[in-house]
mmCIF file of all heavy atoms in Angstrom:
data_model
loop_
_atom_site.group_PDB
_atom_site.id
_atom_site.type_symbol
_atom_site.label_atom_id
_atom_site.label_comp_id
_atom_site.label_asym_id
_atom_site.label_seq_id
_atom_site.Cartn_x
_atom_site.Cartn_y
_atom_site.Cartn_z
ATOM 1 N N PHE A 1 0.828 -1.208 0.000
ATOM 2 C CA PHE A 1 0.000 0.000 0.000
ATOM 3 C C PHE A 1 0.867 1.266 0.000
ATOM 4 O O PHE A 1 0.497 2.276 -0.604
ATOM 5 C CB PHE A 1 -0.927 0.000 1.213
ATOM 6 C CG PHE A 1 -2.042 -1.011 1.134
ATOM 7 C CD1 PHE A 1 -2.338 -1.846 2.209
ATOM 8 C CD2 PHE A 1 -2.805 -1.126 -0.016
ATOM 9 C CE1 PHE A 1 -3.362 -2.768 2.135
ATOM 10 C CE2 PHE A 1 -3.841 -2.052 -0.108
ATOM 11 C CZ PHE A 1 -4.110 -2.878 0.973
ATOM 12 N N LEU A 2 2.004 1.200 0.686
ATOM 13 C CA LEU A 2 2.895 2.359 0.734
ATOM 14 C C LEU A 2 3.329 2.769 -0.674
ATOM 15 O O LEU A 2 3.230 3.937 -1.058
ATOM 16 C CB LEU A 2 4.116 2.029 1.610
ATOM 17 C CG LEU A 2 5.108 3.157 1.906
ATOM 18 C CD1 LEU A 2 5.816 2.898 3.229
ATOM 19 C CD2 LEU A 2 6.171 3.271 0.803
ATOM 20 N N HIS A 3 3.819 1.819 -1.447
ATOM 21 C CA HIS A 3 4.280 2.126 -2.806
ATOM 22 C C HIS A 3 3.108 2.550 -3.700
ATOM 23 O O HIS A 3 3.245 3.458 -4.532
ATOM 24 C CB HIS A 3 4.998 0.919 -3.396
ATOM 25 C CG HIS A 3 6.291 0.611 -2.711
ATOM 26 N ND1 HIS A 3 7.354 1.483 -2.700
ATOM 27 C CD2 HIS A 3 6.692 -0.477 -1.997
ATOM 28 C CE1 HIS A 3 8.361 0.952 -2.014
ATOM 29 N NE2 HIS A 3 7.977 -0.236 -1.576
ATOM 30 N N ARG A 4 1.970 1.913 -3.498
ATOM 31 C CA ARG A 4 0.800 2.224 -4.316
ATOM 32 C C ARG A 4 0.350 3.666 -4.117
ATOM 33 O O ARG A 4 0.128 4.410 -5.084
ATOM 34 C CB ARG A 4 -0.325 1.254 -3.963
ATOM 35 C CG ARG A 4 -1.652 1.532 -4.663
ATOM 36 C CD ARG A 4 -2.680 0.506 -4.216
ATOM 37 N NE ARG A 4 -4.005 0.769 -4.750
ATOM 38 C CZ ARG A 4 -5.062 0.031 -4.471
ATOM 39 N NH1 ARG A 4 -4.931 -1.020 -3.669
ATOM 40 N NH2 ARG A 4 -6.239 0.315 -4.980
ATOM 41 N N TYR A 5 0.230 4.088 -2.841
ATOM 42 C CA TYR A 5 -0.301 5.422 -2.583
ATOM 43 C C TYR A 5 0.767 6.506 -2.679
ATOM 44 O O TYR A 5 0.434 7.670 -2.952
ATOM 45 C CB TYR A 5 -1.008 5.441 -1.225
ATOM 46 C CG TYR A 5 -2.313 4.681 -1.274
ATOM 47 C CD1 TYR A 5 -2.490 3.493 -0.564
ATOM 48 C CD2 TYR A 5 -3.359 5.133 -2.068
ATOM 49 C CE1 TYR A 5 -3.681 2.791 -0.629
ATOM 50 C CE2 TYR A 5 -4.560 4.439 -2.139
ATOM 51 C CZ TYR A 5 -4.717 3.275 -1.420
ATOM 52 O OH TYR A 5 -5.896 2.572 -1.503
ATOM 53 N N ALA A 6 2.030 6.156 -2.461
ATOM 54 C CA ALA A 6 3.100 7.131 -2.686
ATOM 55 C C ALA A 6 3.145 7.508 -4.161
ATOM 56 O O ALA A 6 3.301 8.690 -4.513
ATOM 57 C CB ALA A 6 4.437 6.558 -2.230
ATOM 58 N N GLU A 7 2.986 6.526 -5.019
ATOM 59 C CA GLU A 7 2.970 6.800 -6.457
ATOM 60 C C GLU A 7 1.724 7.605 -6.834
ATOM 61 O O GLU A 7 1.805 8.553 -7.633
ATOM 62 C CB GLU A 7 2.997 5.484 -7.237
ATOM 63 C CG GLU A 7 3.009 5.653 -8.745
ATOM 64 C CD GLU A 7 3.099 4.334 -9.489
ATOM 65 O OE1 GLU A 7 3.288 3.279 -8.835
ATOM 66 O OE2 GLU A 7 2.976 4.354 -10.724
ATOM 67 N N LEU A 8 0.588 7.261 -6.241
ATOM 68 C CA LEU A 8 -0.657 7.959 -6.550
ATOM 69 C C LEU A 8 -0.567 9.441 -6.201
ATOM 70 O O LEU A 8 -1.047 10.302 -6.948
ATOM 71 C CB LEU A 8 -1.818 7.307 -5.787
ATOM 72 C CG LEU A 8 -3.192 7.970 -5.940
ATOM 73 C CD1 LEU A 8 -3.707 7.824 -7.371
ATOM 74 C CD2 LEU A 8 -4.195 7.357 -4.948
ATOM 75 N N HIS A 9 0.068 9.735 -5.055
ATOM 76 C CA HIS A 9 0.135 11.115 -4.578
ATOM 77 C C HIS A 9 1.470 11.790 -4.911
ATOM 78 O O HIS A 9 1.749 12.877 -4.397
ATOM 79 C CB HIS A 9 -0.126 11.158 -3.067
ATOM 80 C CG HIS A 9 -1.514 10.745 -2.683
ATOM 81 N ND1 HIS A 9 -2.619 11.528 -2.916
ATOM 82 C CD2 HIS A 9 -1.973 9.591 -2.108
ATOM 83 C CE1 HIS A 9 -3.708 10.905 -2.479
ATOM 84 N NE2 HIS A 9 -3.340 9.724 -1.990
ATOM 85 N N HIS A 10 2.286 11.133 -5.724
ATOM 86 C CA HIS A 10 3.557 11.695 -6.184
ATOM 87 C C HIS A 10 4.446 12.117 -5.013
ATOM 88 O O HIS A 10 5.001 13.215 -4.981
ATOM 89 C CB HIS A 10 3.312 12.890 -7.117
ATOM 90 C CG HIS A 10 2.377 12.587 -8.253
ATOM 91 N ND1 HIS A 10 2.735 11.767 -9.298
ATOM 92 C CD2 HIS A 10 1.092 12.979 -8.484
ATOM 93 C CE1 HIS A 10 1.710 11.672 -10.141
ATOM 94 N NE2 HIS A 10 0.707 12.385 -9.670
ATOM 95 N N LYS A 11 4.570 11.215 -4.029
ATOM 96 C CA LYS A 11 5.403 11.497 -2.868
ATOM 97 C C LYS A 11 6.566 10.508 -2.814
ATOM 98 O O LYS A 11 6.421 9.339 -3.168
ATOM 99 C CB LYS A 11 4.583 11.426 -1.575
ATOM 100 C CG LYS A 11 3.471 12.467 -1.511
ATOM 101 C CD LYS A 11 2.903 12.596 -0.116
ATOM 102 C CE LYS A 11 3.876 13.268 0.844
ATOM 103 N NZ LYS A 11 3.238 13.587 2.146
ATOM 104 N N THR A 12 7.716 10.995 -2.372
ATOM 105 C CA THR A 12 8.905 10.150 -2.245
ATOM 106 C C THR A 12 8.985 9.639 -0.817
ATOM 107 O O THR A 12 9.402 10.352 0.099
ATOM 108 C CB THR A 12 10.178 10.941 -2.588
ATOM 109 O OG1 THR A 12 10.052 11.459 -3.911
ATOM 110 C CG2 THR A 12 11.399 10.040 -2.508
ATOM 111 N N ILE A 13 8.543 8.421 -0.605
ATOM 112 C CA ILE A 13 8.563 7.782 0.710
ATOM 113 C C ILE A 13 9.432 6.534 0.600
ATOM 114 O O ILE A 13 9.126 5.631 -0.193
ATOM 115 C CB ILE A 13 7.153 7.395 1.190
ATOM 116 C CG1 ILE A 13 6.211 8.607 1.126
ATOM 117 C CG2 ILE A 13 7.196 6.808 2.588
ATOM 118 C CD1 ILE A 13 6.501 9.678 2.117
ATOM 119 N N SER A 14 10.520 6.493 1.386
ATOM 120 C CA SER A 14 11.460 5.375 1.267
ATOM 121 C C SER A 14 11.025 4.148 2.054
ATOM 122 O O SER A 14 11.487 3.033 1.803
ATOM 123 C CB SER A 14 12.852 5.811 1.732
ATOM 124 O OG SER A 14 12.815 6.235 3.092
ATOM 125 N N GLY A 15 10.137 4.321 3.025
ATOM 126 C CA GLY A 15 9.706 3.179 3.831
ATOM 127 C C GLY A 15 9.149 3.635 5.163
ATOM 128 O O GLY A 15 8.682 4.769 5.309
ATOM 129 N N MET A 16 9.228 2.742 6.162
ATOM 130 C CA MET A 16 8.712 3.027 7.495
ATOM 131 C C MET A 16 9.827 2.911 8.516
ATOM 132 O O MET A 16 10.712 2.053 8.389
ATOM 133 C CB MET A 16 7.590 2.042 7.842
ATOM 134 C CG MET A 16 6.379 2.133 6.931
ATOM 135 S SD MET A 16 5.179 0.813 7.234
ATOM 136 C CE MET A 16 6.045 -0.584 6.503
ATOM 137 N N SER A 17 9.788 3.766 9.530
ATOM 138 C CA SER A 17 10.793 3.689 10.591
ATOM 139 C C SER A 17 10.628 2.383 11.360
ATOM 140 O O SER A 17 9.581 1.731 11.306
ATOM 141 C CB SER A 17 10.652 4.875 11.542
ATOM 142 O OG SER A 17 9.452 4.768 12.291
ATOM 143 N N GLU A 18 11.674 2.011 12.081
ATOM 144 C CA GLU A 18 11.614 0.776 12.876
ATOM 145 C C GLU A 18 10.517 0.861 13.921
ATOM 146 O O GLU A 18 9.801 -0.111 14.170
ATOM 147 C CB GLU A 18 12.970 0.520 13.544
ATOM 148 C CG GLU A 18 13.024 -0.801 14.306
ATOM 149 C CD GLU A 18 14.400 -1.098 14.868
ATOM 150 O OE1 GLU A 18 15.358 -0.387 14.520
ATOM 151 O OE2 GLU A 18 14.519 -2.048 15.667
ATOM 152 N N ALA A 19 10.365 2.053 14.528
ATOM 153 C CA ALA A 19 9.311 2.235 15.539
ATOM 154 C C ALA A 19 7.935 2.063 14.923
ATOM 155 O O ALA A 19 7.035 1.459 15.522
ATOM 156 C CB ALA A 19 9.446 3.617 16.184
ATOM 157 N N ALA A 20 7.742 2.576 13.710
ATOM 158 C CA ALA A 20 6.450 2.436 13.024
ATOM 159 C C ALA A 20 6.170 0.969 12.703
ATOM 160 O O ALA A 20 5.042 0.492 12.868
ATOM 161 C CB ALA A 20 6.446 3.266 11.750
ATOM 162 N N GLN A 21 7.194 0.255 12.258
ATOM 163 C CA GLN A 21 7.020 -1.167 11.952
ATOM 164 C C GLN A 21 6.663 -1.956 13.211
ATOM 165 O O GLN A 21 5.770 -2.814 13.178
ATOM 166 C CB GLN A 21 8.303 -1.718 11.325
ATOM 167 C CG GLN A 21 8.602 -1.154 9.950
ATOM 168 C CD GLN A 21 9.848 -1.753 9.334
ATOM 169 O OE1 GLN A 21 9.948 -2.970 9.175
ATOM 170 N NE2 GLN A 21 10.815 -0.905 9.001
ATOM 171 N N ASN A 22 7.343 -1.663 14.317
ATOM 172 C CA ASN A 22 7.044 -2.373 15.569
ATOM 173 C C ASN A 22 5.629 -2.068 16.047
ATOM 174 O O ASN A 22 4.918 -2.959 16.532
ATOM 175 C CB ASN A 22 8.058 -1.984 16.649
ATOM 176 C CG ASN A 22 9.424 -2.587 16.403
ATOM 177 O OD1 ASN A 22 9.551 -3.623 15.753
ATOM 178 N ND2 ASN A 22 10.469 -1.948 16.906
ATOM 179 N N ALA A 23 5.207 -0.798 15.893
ATOM 180 C CA ALA A 23 3.851 -0.431 16.303
ATOM 181 C C ALA A 23 2.821 -1.180 15.474
ATOM 182 O O ALA A 23 1.800 -1.652 15.997
ATOM 183 C CB ALA A 23 3.657 1.078 16.155
ATOM 184 N N MET A 24 3.092 -1.335 14.190
ATOM 185 C CA MET A 24 2.161 -2.048 13.312
ATOM 186 C C MET A 24 2.085 -3.522 13.675
ATOM 187 O O MET A 24 1.011 -4.125 13.639
ATOM 188 C CB MET A 24 2.594 -1.879 11.857
ATOM 189 C CG MET A 24 2.458 -0.450 11.355
ATOM 190 S SD MET A 24 3.082 -0.257 9.689
ATOM 191 C CE MET A 24 1.884 -1.220 8.801
ATOM 192 N N LEU A 25 3.215 -4.103 14.029
ATOM 193 C CA LEU A 25 3.236 -5.525 14.389
ATOM 194 C C LEU A 25 2.530 -5.777 15.716
ATOM 195 O O LEU A 25 1.981 -6.857 15.944
ATOM 196 C CB LEU A 25 4.679 -6.030 14.463
ATOM 197 C CG LEU A 25 5.412 -6.166 13.127
ATOM 198 C CD1 LEU A 25 6.898 -6.445 13.355
ATOM 199 C CD2 LEU A 25 4.804 -7.273 12.275
ATOM 200 N N ASN A 26 2.547 -4.780 16.604
ATOM 201 C CA ASN A 26 1.934 -4.954 17.919
ATOM 202 C C ASN A 26 0.473 -4.534 17.964
ATOM 203 O O ASN A 26 -0.228 -4.823 18.930
ATOM 204 C CB ASN A 26 2.712 -4.136 18.966
ATOM 205 C CG ASN A 26 4.076 -4.731 19.257
ATOM 206 O OD1 ASN A 26 4.216 -5.944 19.350
ATOM 207 N ND2 ASN A 26 5.090 -3.888 19.379
ATOM 208 N N TYR A 27 0.008 -3.844 16.931
ATOM 209 C CA TYR A 27 -1.376 -3.372 16.899
ATOM 210 C C TYR A 27 -2.310 -4.525 16.526
ATOM 211 O O TYR A 27 -1.932 -5.420 15.762
ATOM 212 C CB TYR A 27 -1.495 -2.230 15.883
ATOM 213 C CG TYR A 27 -2.816 -1.514 15.896
ATOM 214 C CD1 TYR A 27 -3.269 -0.857 17.030
ATOM 215 C CD2 TYR A 27 -3.619 -1.477 14.751
ATOM 216 C CE1 TYR A 27 -4.489 -0.177 17.036
ATOM 217 C CE2 TYR A 27 -4.830 -0.803 14.744
ATOM 218 C CZ TYR A 27 -5.253 -0.159 15.888
ATOM 219 O OH TYR A 27 -6.455 0.493 15.887
ATOM 220 N N ARG A 28 -3.538 -4.506 17.025
ATOM 221 C CA ARG A 28 -4.468 -5.625 16.829
ATOM 222 C C ARG A 28 -5.225 -5.560 15.503
ATOM 223 O O ARG A 28 -5.790 -6.544 15.054
ATOM 224 C CB ARG A 28 -5.489 -5.654 17.978
ATOM 225 C CG ARG A 28 -4.882 -5.935 19.330
ATOM 226 C CD ARG A 28 -4.409 -7.357 19.446
ATOM 227 N NE ARG A 28 -5.514 -8.304 19.458
ATOM 228 C CZ ARG A 28 -5.373 -9.613 19.359
ATOM 229 N NH1 ARG A 28 -4.161 -10.138 19.192
ATOM 230 N NH2 ARG A 28 -6.416 -10.406 19.390
ATOM 231 N N TRP A 29 -5.290 -4.402 14.863
ATOM 232 C CA TRP A 29 -5.960 -4.223 13.578
ATOM 233 C C TRP A 29 -7.389 -4.799 13.575
ATOM 234 O O TRP A 29 -7.681 -5.751 12.849
ATOM 235 C CB TRP A 29 -5.151 -4.843 12.438
ATOM 236 C CG TRP A 29 -3.814 -4.201 12.268
ATOM 237 C CD1 TRP A 29 -2.596 -4.744 12.548
ATOM 238 C CD2 TRP A 29 -3.553 -2.879 11.793
ATOM 239 N NE1 TRP A 29 -1.590 -3.835 12.283
ATOM 240 C CE2 TRP A 29 -2.151 -2.674 11.817
ATOM 241 C CE3 TRP A 29 -4.379 -1.833 11.347
ATOM 242 C CZ2 TRP A 29 -1.554 -1.481 11.426
ATOM 243 C CZ3 TRP A 29 -3.790 -0.646 10.965
ATOM 244 C CH2 TRP A 29 -2.394 -0.475 10.999
ATOM 245 N N PRO A 30 -8.291 -4.203 14.367
ATOM 246 C CA PRO A 30 -9.672 -4.715 14.399
ATOM 247 C C PRO A 30 -10.375 -4.626 13.053
ATOM 248 O O PRO A 30 -11.301 -5.388 12.787
ATOM 249 C CB PRO A 30 -10.346 -3.831 15.454
ATOM 250 C CG PRO A 30 -9.499 -2.594 15.520
ATOM 251 C CD PRO A 30 -8.108 -3.055 15.257
ATOM 252 N N GLY A 31 -9.964 -3.665 12.206
ATOM 253 C CA GLY A 31 -10.570 -3.536 10.880
ATOM 254 C C GLY A 31 -9.826 -4.282 9.796
ATOM 255 O O GLY A 31 -10.150 -4.147 8.609
ATOM 256 N N ASN A 32 -8.794 -5.058 10.188
ATOM 257 C CA ASN A 32 -8.040 -5.923 9.285
ATOM 258 C C ASN A 32 -7.391 -5.154 8.128
ATOM 259 O O ASN A 32 -6.982 -4.008 8.307
ATOM 260 C CB ASN A 32 -8.931 -7.067 8.798
ATOM 261 C CG ASN A 32 -9.249 -8.038 9.919
ATOM 262 O OD1 ASN A 32 -8.360 -8.706 10.426
ATOM 263 N ND2 ASN A 32 -10.506 -8.105 10.330
ATOM 264 N N VAL A 33 -7.282 -5.780 6.961
ATOM 265 C CA VAL A 33 -6.528 -5.190 5.849
ATOM 266 C C VAL A 33 -7.158 -3.881 5.392
ATOM 267 O O VAL A 33 -6.452 -2.947 4.997
ATOM 268 C CB VAL A 33 -6.427 -6.190 4.675
ATOM 269 C CG1 VAL A 33 -5.661 -5.568 3.507
ATOM 270 C CG2 VAL A 33 -5.731 -7.463 5.125
ATOM 271 N N ARG A 34 -8.479 -3.793 5.457
ATOM 272 C CA ARG A 34 -9.149 -2.556 5.054
ATOM 273 C C ARG A 34 -8.698 -1.390 5.924
ATOM 274 O O ARG A 34 -8.452 -0.281 5.443
ATOM 275 C CB ARG A 34 -10.665 -2.732 5.144
ATOM 276 C CG ARG A 34 -11.442 -1.535 4.603
ATOM 277 C CD ARG A 34 -12.934 -1.778 4.718
ATOM 278 N NE ARG A 34 -13.334 -2.932 3.926
ATOM 279 C CZ ARG A 34 -14.282 -3.797 4.270
ATOM 280 N NH1 ARG A 34 -14.915 -3.645 5.417
ATOM 281 N NH2 ARG A 34 -14.601 -4.804 3.494
ATOM 282 N N GLN A 35 -8.581 -1.627 7.233
ATOM 283 C CA GLN A 35 -8.117 -0.585 8.142
ATOM 284 C C GLN A 35 -6.646 -0.258 7.886
ATOM 285 O O GLN A 35 -6.253 0.916 7.888
ATOM 286 C CB GLN A 35 -8.301 -1.026 9.594
ATOM 287 C CG GLN A 35 -7.873 0.045 10.596
ATOM 288 C CD GLN A 35 -7.876 -0.455 12.025
ATOM 289 O OE1 GLN A 35 -7.883 -1.665 12.286
ATOM 290 N NE2 GLN A 35 -7.857 0.468 12.972
ATOM 291 N N LEU A 36 -5.838 -1.278 7.637
ATOM 292 C CA LEU A 36 -4.416 -1.064 7.337
ATOM 293 C C LEU A 36 -4.255 -0.195 6.095
ATOM 294 O O LEU A 36 -3.446 0.748 6.080
ATOM 295 C CB LEU A 36 -3.717 -2.408 7.133
ATOM 296 C CG LEU A 36 -2.259 -2.365 6.656
ATOM 297 C CD1 LEU A 36 -1.371 -1.664 7.673
ATOM 298 C CD2 LEU A 36 -1.750 -3.786 6.384
ATOM 299 N N GLU A 37 -5.017 -0.486 5.065
ATOM 300 C CA GLU A 37 -4.941 0.315 3.844
ATOM 301 C C GLU A 37 -5.310 1.766 4.138
ATOM 302 O O GLU A 37 -4.647 2.699 3.657
ATOM 303 C CB GLU A 37 -5.876 -0.253 2.775
ATOM 304 C CG GLU A 37 -5.865 0.547 1.489
ATOM 305 C CD GLU A 37 -6.768 -0.026 0.412
ATOM 306 O OE1 GLU A 37 -7.538 -0.962 0.710
ATOM 307 O OE2 GLU A 37 -6.695 0.461 -0.733
ATOM 308 N N ASN A 38 -6.348 1.961 4.921
ATOM 309 C CA ASN A 38 -6.791 3.307 5.269
ATOM 310 C C ASN A 38 -5.692 4.076 6.003
ATOM 311 O O ASN A 38 -5.423 5.247 5.686
ATOM 312 C CB ASN A 38 -8.053 3.216 6.132
ATOM 313 C CG ASN A 38 -8.566 4.561 6.592
ATOM 314 O OD1 ASN A 38 -8.018 5.155 7.517
ATOM 315 N ND2 ASN A 38 -9.618 5.040 5.968
ATOM 316 N N ARG A 39 -5.042 3.428 6.979
ATOM 317 C CA ARG A 39 -4.015 4.101 7.779
ATOM 318 C C ARG A 39 -2.768 4.405 6.950
ATOM 319 O O ARG A 39 -2.161 5.465 7.116
ATOM 320 C CB ARG A 39 -3.658 3.247 8.991
ATOM 321 C CG ARG A 39 -4.798 3.066 9.987
ATOM 322 C CD ARG A 39 -5.327 4.418 10.491
ATOM 323 N NE ARG A 39 -6.565 4.282 11.232
ATOM 324 C CZ ARG A 39 -6.630 4.098 12.548
ATOM 325 N NH1 ARG A 39 -5.525 4.006 13.252
ATOM 326 N NH2 ARG A 39 -7.797 4.003 13.146
ATOM 327 N N ILE A 40 -2.372 3.486 6.076
ATOM 328 C CA ILE A 40 -1.202 3.734 5.229
ATOM 329 C C ILE A 40 -1.488 4.857 4.236
ATOM 330 O O ILE A 40 -0.650 5.744 4.012
ATOM 331 C CB ILE A 40 -0.775 2.452 4.489
ATOM 332 C CG1 ILE A 40 -0.256 1.404 5.481
ATOM 333 C CG2 ILE A 40 0.299 2.766 3.448
ATOM 334 C CD1 ILE A 40 1.028 1.790 6.187
ATOM 335 N N HIS A 41 -2.669 4.845 3.656
ATOM 336 C CA HIS A 41 -3.050 5.900 2.703
ATOM 337 C C HIS A 41 -3.013 7.265 3.389
ATOM 338 O O HIS A 41 -2.446 8.233 2.856
ATOM 339 C CB HIS A 41 -4.453 5.609 2.162
ATOM 340 C CG HIS A 41 -4.836 6.469 1.008
ATOM 341 N ND1 HIS A 41 -6.037 6.335 0.342
ATOM 342 C CD2 HIS A 41 -4.203 7.513 0.397
ATOM 343 C CE1 HIS A 41 -6.104 7.219 -0.631
ATOM 344 N NE2 HIS A 41 -5.011 7.959 -0.616
#
């Protein structure tokens, strides 16, 4: 989703910080992939 929406919005995003990745791995994501897509967008 990061690459998809970075390209859509013409933004140069190299990735996610380690803290952001750890937060994502520890989050429960009650809305599943749909919620993940929303948050990344």
Side-chain angles (χ1 to χ4, degrees):
F1 289 133
L2 186 153
H3 292 297
R4 175 180 175 182
Y5 288 113
E7 181 177 353
L8 177 67
H9 294 288
H10 307 289
K11 297 194 71 171
T12 303
I13 307 291
S14 60
M16 297 172 286
S17 69
E18 184 175 350
Q21 293 182 57
N22 287 335
M24 293 176 67
L25 289 170
N26 289 319
Y27 189 61
R28 295 290 292 170
W29 298 110
N32 291 294
V33 179
R34 186 180 298 144
Q35 182 188 17
L36 173 62
E37 179 179 9
N38 178 283
R39 295 303 169 91
I40 293 294
H41 191 177

